[in-house]
Structures are given as C-alpha cells and as structure tokens.
Amino acid sequence: MNAPLPPDCLNSPWQLARRAERMNPSVIREILKVTERPGIISFAGGLPSSKTFPVAEFEAACAQVLKDDPAGALQYAASEGYAPLRQMVAEQLRTKAAAAGQTWNVDPAQVLITTGSQQGLDLVAKVLVDAGSKILVESPTYLGAVSAFIPMEPDVVSVASDEQGVDISDLRTKAAGARFLYVLPNFQNPTGNTMSEARRAALSTVAAELNLPLIEDNPYGDLWFDTPPPAPLTARNPDGCIYLGSFSKVLAPGLRLGFLVAPKAVFPKLLEAKQAADLHSPGFNQRMIAQVMQGGFLDRHVPKIRALYKAQRDAMLEALAQHFGPMPAQADAAMLDSRLTWNCPAGGMFLWARLPQGQRAVDLLPIAVEQGVAFVPGAPFYADHGDERTLRLSFVTPSVEEIHRGVAALARAMQEQAGV
C-alpha cells in the first residue's frame, strides 16, 4: 500500500512522477529509529558488527594512498572503477569458484565497481525493467531489492522457496515472460537459508533451459561458519547471470562500495546507467580498499568475523532454547503452530523465526520495544501474501550478554501478547 502524501504536498506545484508514488519508506530504516532509544537491545538492523572494522589498516591505507598518488585519489575517475581493485575482485572470484570445484573465468573488464551493492540492484532495475515487466523473486526476499525494483513499475511475482532454495516446479509455472529471477543463495536476507548444491544445479539447468536470466546477490557469502557455501550460480552460467557483491560485510559499510559482474551483452548499458547515476564510485575509497586488500588481508581478517558471528549465533540459539524450549527434531504441524520456531543458519547475520498461531509480529513489536528489545517483522520481506507470524533476528551486533537479555525480553513480550 502506498504511503499517503503529506498534507503540505496536496496543494504543492510539484507533480510527482508515477514511480515516486510507488516508493515507500524502508520498514527496516523506520524500525531502526526506534532502536535509537536508550536501553533498546536491537535484533533489527542488518548492520555488521563495528568490532570487525579494520580501523588501523584503513588508517595506514589512507596515509599510503595520499602519499602515493594524492592527485589520482582525489580526482574524478573511471566509471568502471579503479583497475587494480577490479583485478582483485576478478582474481578472488576465480579462486573461490575453483575452491568450490567450479571454473569461472572472471574477466576484470566485466567487473563494475558500484556505490554499495544496493546501487547494483538499482542499475539492474534501470537497465532490465520496463513498466509492467514481470520479474521473479524468492519468497521471502531482500526488502531492499524490491525497493530498488519497484520504481521501475514491474509486476513482481514471488516464487515459492524453502530451506533448500527456490522451488523449481513453482519456478517453471511462473517463468514465462519474466525478465529475470532475483536470488540470494548464501545465508539469505531475511531467512539465513543457504541454497543447496542440488537446488543450485537444478536452478542453473532450468534457468538456461527457460532462457531466464538470474540476478545473484551475494553480500554474505564469505560469512560461513563451518564450511563454505557451494559455487556461485553465475560460475555455472556466466552469460546468463549478473553477480552482485559487497565490501560492506567484510570491511566497512561506511565506504559504500560493492561490485557487479555482468555478461558482455549487458555490461555496457549497466555502465551507462552508472555514469548517469553518479559518474563513478568514490575513487579515494576504492584505492583505500585495494590498499587494505593487498597481501591477502581478507584471508586473515574474515575468519575473525566468522568466529565472532558464529559465537553470537550460538548464543542466540542457546537463549532461544532456554526461554522457549529446544526445537524438536521432529514435530507435526500442530506442535509447530503452538510455539515459537526458528532455524539454524550456517552463516551470515540473520535467524528466521515464526510465532505461534494467532500472534502477529507487527503487533508484537511495540510490546517487545516496551520490554527493551526490537526485531524486524517478516511480512514486509514478501512481495505478496506475507507471513505475518514471521520475524527476522540479527545476532551480529549485540553482545552475547545482550543477546541473552534480549531473548528474555522477547519471551516476556510474547507472554504479554498471548495474555499469559
């Protein structure tokens, strides 16, 4: 439902474009305002832990970049991005694919540096979507992607998904005429689920058969806890996929840098859209990231992030079991409907939970905030027919002690909502 225009706008001489009427405030951003209240423990934001920011390395990189080439660092730059950084991205993607048993000959000329991976979604929408175009998304899916697509006025169609990934049979029934399918195969936002190898193989085969392009978004893929995820979908069919990545989750989101890898058939238009949007992403920031990444820094740094996030995930699982009872190994639908249920993500930043029958997450939220904890209701992550019992819990920002206190507060809020 579109947000109503403020009263001051009703008599304004400004006429908004039709696409502007479809824009709405981010539910998550609005909830984050609530979490700024003193004493609120937030499971809401998808923010990396500030403990993981390599401050000393960036301080040294800043000085080095300004010493080596201050004019180049502070001047306008190529829209494609800083060449050494594009080369690094290509090399890392090739190496990771090979480690997963897949050959992916990433050409640096197909790497476009973006102002966060969110800009990559915006560029994809501008280049590939017309008003009325059908696009496919998982159910549920990343809210920010839908926000990027909606201004182009597409027909957004949800494809059923489960803990293994996209439902292939449902995809077949809905794929005709679609411009693309948008997927997050690794530690998905919001569910934390990871697409299985079998489902990836099936999806790649069926997408190629149906001539259906894939937009593969992978901001969380490096944040695995025990074993790396399977090889990217794009590695299996590079000409049929656009791949999006980010430096935000492994270095620092404040630098606002990401990248995309696109087939040669569509790369030039994405570049033109990038030029129209902002000319280029900050060249100084690109050079700093390239400087920090030299010498295999990420190979030493990212395992520390994984260890921290795994410990915090384990703390949340422990707290949930303590306050709501362990998740049963086997249970019928009636039992699951009578209690809070949750999954166990193998990486990333999020855990997905579902309230007992009769409770709605949007109703629970204000009660939870009064108890001192915040989360994100799950319904907005669905393009249609949102499950109002679902909620997303982020475990990476609070401390272990805060996680335990926050889950206890959530339990109190649920009891209050249920009238216990």
Side-chain angles (χ1 to χ4, degrees):
M1 181 175 179
N2 293 334
L5 292 175
D8 290 347
C9 295
L10 297 180
N11 297 318
S12 169
W14 298 99
Q15 182 174 345
L16 298 179
R18 184 173 59 191
R19 72 180 65 90
E21 296 179 0
R22 302 189 62 171
M23 298 177 183
N24 286 301
S26 166
V27 173
I28 298 174
R29 293 285 163 181
E30 293 300 308
I31 291 174
L32 287 178
K33 295 177 183 178
V34 175
T35 67
E36 294 173 358
R37 289 172 44 178
I40 298 293
I41 296 171
S42 177
F43 299 150
L47 310 177
S49 171
S50 59
K51 297 176 183 177
T52 67
F53 300 161
V55 177
E57 286 76 10
F58 274 119
E59 183 178 10
C62 179
Q64 193 66 47
V65 166
L66 290 176
K67 177 183 176 182
D68 290 346
D69 187 11
L74 301 176
Q75 184 57 275
Y76 285 115
S79 299
E80 294 87 341
Y82 183 50
L85 182 59
R86 298 169 72 202
Q87 180 69 42
M88 288 179 176
V89 168
E91 290 174 355
Q92 289 201 352
L93 292 177
R94 287 195 294 263
T95 299
K96 291 174 184 176
Q102 192 78 35
T103 299
W104 185 13
N105 296 317
V106 185
D107 185 346
Q110 294 174 256
V111 176
L112 177 63
I113 303 299
T114 58
T115 306
S117 61
Q118 186 69 24
Q119 185 185 53
L121 295 169
D122 180 70
L123 300 180
V124 164
K126 289 176 178 175
V127 169
L128 297 182
V129 179
D130 291 314
S133 300
K134 180 164 76 171
I135 62 173
L136 307 178
V137 299
E138 298 169 286
S139 182
T141 191
Y142 171 48
L143 180 60
V146 176
S147 296
F149 300 152
I150 283 296
M152 299 298 108
E153 305 180 80
D155 176 18
V156 183
V157 176
S158 293
V159 178
S161 305
D162 57 26
E163 66 278 0
Q164 299 298 315
V166 172
D167 183 315
I168 302 300
S169 61
D170 193 49
L171 174 64
R172 283 187 177 277
T173 67
K174 296 174 178 177
R179 294 291 176 90
F180 58 77
L181 166 66
Y182 169 75
V183 290
L184 295 98
N186 299 324
F187 321 122
Q188 192 226 32
N189 183 359
T191 64
N193 290 333
T194 297
M195 190 179 296
S196 67
E197 169 59 34
R199 196 67 63 87
R200 291 177 198 233
L203 176 57
S204 295
T205 298
V206 169
E209 172 192 325
L210 299 175
N211 202 28
L212 175 68
L214 301 179
I215 309 300
E216 180 177 15
D217 197 359
N218 188 31
Y220 310 103
D222 289 325
L223 304 180
W224 49 269
F225 297 151
D226 296 311
T227 57
L233 295 162
T234 309
R236 304 157 198 256
N237 182 19
D239 289 335
C241 303
I242 294 174
Y243 181 93
L244 304 175
S246 175
F247 298 107
S248 294
K249 308 305 185 293
V250 296
L251 287 173
L255 296 175
R256 303 309 305 130
L257 286 179
F259 59 88
L260 63 79
V261 181
K264 294 179 181 179
V266 70
F267 185 93
K269 285 300 176 184
L270 291 166
L271 176 58
E272 290 172 15
K274 167 71 174 173
Q275 291 168 342
D278 64 359
L279 300 183
H280 63 85
S281 298
F284 181 76
N285 293 5
Q286 293 185 59
R287 288 168 184 254
M288 278 208 303
I289 281 186
Q291 181 69 33
V292 167
M293 286 173 59
Q294 288 183 3
F297 173 74
L298 289 180
D299 293 335
R300 302 186 299 275
H301 178 63
V302 175
K304 299 176 184 177
I305 304 176
R306 295 182 191 131
L308 175 65
Y309 289 1
K310 181 179 180 181
Q312 292 174 211
R313 178 209 61 177
D314 290 347
M316 182 165 280
L317 292 174
E318 178 184 347
L320 287 168
Q322 176 183 343
H323 289 281
F324 298 100
M327 281 289 294
Q330 292 183 332
D332 57 26
M335 179 182 293
L336 295 178
D337 275 344
S338 68
R339 57 162 294 158
L340 182 77
T341 59
W342 59 86
N343 64 353
C344 179
M349 300 167 56
F350 308 110
L351 182 148
W352 192 239
R354 193 164 190 253
L355 297 171
Q357 189 172 32
Q359 295 192 25
R360 299 197 317 158
V362 70
D363 297 330
L364 177 64
L365 179 59
I367 304 172
V369 169
E370 289 302 315
Q371 291 288 347
V373 66
F375 58 84
V376 178
F381 292 97
Y382 293 82
D384 52 30
H385 308 298
D387 185 343
E388 295 187 334
R389 291 166 56 187
T390 56
L391 56 148
R392 190 191 75 178
L393 302 174
S394 175
F395 49 79
V396 303
T397 303
S399 67
V400 167
E401 188 271 337
E402 288 173 330
I403 287 172
H404 279 274
R405 287 198 290 116
V407 172
L410 180 64
R412 293 194 300 271
M414 287 180 58
Q415 291 174 346
E416 181 178 341
Q417 185 184 39
V420 177

